[in-house]
Amino acid sequence: MKKILSILVVLLVLVGCGASKDKGDTGQLEKIVLGGTSLPHADFLRQLKAPLEALGYELEVIEFDDYVAPNKSLENGELDANYFQHIPYLTNFNDEHGTDLVPLIKVHYEPIAIYSGSKESLDAVEADDVVVVPDDATNLPRALKLLEELGWITLNDNRDTATLNDIVTYHVAIEIRLVSAENTPKLLESAAYGVVNANWALTGNITDRGLQAETIDDATIANIVNVIAVRNGEESSDKSLAILEALKDEAVLKYIKETYAPAVISVLD
């Protein structure tokens, strides 16, 4: 009899151990790891906590302070998805680094703008003024087109891929200084003006110093809309589908639409 009882106890323990792997019975959630730059991306990602939890996932958000590490971390499997970039940047990154990352969903766009440094008015521009601009291949053309809109320079026909070599005429002899995008707000104090992406303007708390944004049309929006990206082939994975479902949550939609407008403009339905 004792032997039978001992066998029953062992069986119960084994059954209990098996049940502990069932998240539905124990309440343990599978982890989903998302990465993004701090504002607005990581902040938006944190809003997915409750809807993802309802879908059986525990959310972890990792913040990055540059445009390279989030894609490397996604490629090597440290992240399940990332959110910080537009499609032209993603395409260029894949080409340069041999990665294979793809857009999962379009979320929002951020007009790039020129901000005051030592000068508070665009009318005050003069020769030798330093203007810091992002140096990457997708944001530099946007910055130069904005400077052309201001009448400070004229570009040749290569506007969509423009570099400093594509400036035909300087109508004001400004010094355009190339810096990494994340450093543009930090270097405003040593420049007359700076062209800054909205996310770095939010992070740097300089949005009240904005002077003029780029012209936005449908073609521009399609080119600059920020996406959540995943590894190629994982667009329909359980985790990717959970992200898409969580983004339908009404509270999430409202937060993304309203919190940082007009610096951040949602394209979600």
Side-chain angles (χ1 to χ4, degrees):
M1 185 68 171
K2 289 182 178 179
K3 185 175 182 181
I4 293 173
L5 289 173
S6 297
I7 292 172
L8 288 173
V9 169
V10 171
L11 288 173
L12 287 171
V13 169
L14 290 174
V15 170
C17 290
S20 69
K21 296 178 182 179
D22 185 343
K23 66 186 179 186
D25 291 341
T26 66
Q28 293 179 350
L29 304 178
E30 184 177 357
K31 181 170 285 191
I32 186 167
V33 184
L34 307 180
T37 47
S38 60
L39 292 175
H41 305 84
D43 186 37
F44 285 167
L45 290 175
R46 291 190 186 93
Q47 309 313 308
L48 302 181
K49 184 178 188 304
L52 282 175
E53 188 171 303
L55 294 168
Y57 292 95
E58 176 189 357
L59 174 63
E60 179 182 351
V61 175
I62 298 176
E63 285 192 24
F64 295 87
D65 60 4
D66 72 287
Y67 283 163
V68 176
N71 278 340
K72 289 187 174 180
S73 294
L74 178 57
E75 177 71 11
N76 67 26
E78 295 174 7
L79 301 175
D80 295 304
N82 71 29
Y83 173 40
F84 73 97
Q85 64 197 317
H86 46 51
I87 294 174
Y89 183 88
L90 176 60
T91 301
N92 187 70
F93 189 94
N94 282 333
D95 290 343
E96 289 188 353
H97 295 84
T99 50
D100 194 10
L101 309 176
V102 296
L104 177 65
I105 185 174
K106 298 175 180 178
V107 181
H108 80 273
Y109 65 92
E110 305 167 7
I112 203 168
I114 188 165
Y115 292 80
S116 65
S118 61
K119 295 193 171 180
E120 298 181 355
S121 168
L122 295 173
D123 294 334
V125 66
E126 58 187 343
D128 298 324
D129 278 348
V130 172
V131 182
V132 294
V133 301
D135 63 0
D136 61 271
T138 53
N139 288 306
L140 175 56
R142 294 171 66 190
L144 295 178
K145 286 190 285 186
L146 177 53
L147 297 183
E148 185 177 49
E149 284 186 50
L150 297 175
W152 296 358
I153 63 172
T154 295
L155 297 168
N156 60 25
D157 292 337
N158 300 325
R159 285 175 176 78
D160 291 336
T161 57
T163 68
L164 298 186
N165 293 330
D166 295 302
I167 299 174
V168 175
T169 305
Y170 283 84
H171 302 291
V172 182
I174 55 175
E175 178 188 342
I176 301 175
R177 188 171 297 170
L178 303 181
V179 302
S180 58
E182 65 270 21
N183 285 324
T184 47
K186 301 172 188 175
L187 295 173
L188 273 180
E189 300 310 316
S190 60
Y193 307 96
V195 180
V196 184
N197 296 76
N199 62 310
W200 298 122
L202 289 167
T203 303
N205 195 30
I206 62 165
T207 54
D208 59 336
R209 294 163 64 177
L211 298 174
Q212 182 169 320
E214 65 186 335
T215 297
I216 297 291
D217 53 25
D218 289 342
T220 302
I221 292 171
N223 199 46
I224 66 173
V225 65
N226 281 212
V227 299
I228 291 178
V230 296
R231 289 176 290 276
N232 192 9
E234 297 186 8
E235 300 94 318
S236 297
S237 70
D238 289 344
K239 289 183 177 181
S240 293
L241 293 177
I243 293 168
L244 294 175
E245 186 64 28
L247 283 167
K248 298 177 183 177
D249 182 88
E250 288 298 327
V252 172
L253 290 172
K254 179 179 173 64
Y255 192 90
I256 293 174
K257 180 179 180 181
E258 297 180 358
T259 305
Y260 299 108
V264 174
I265 302 173
S266 173
V267 298
L268 295 172
D269 295 329

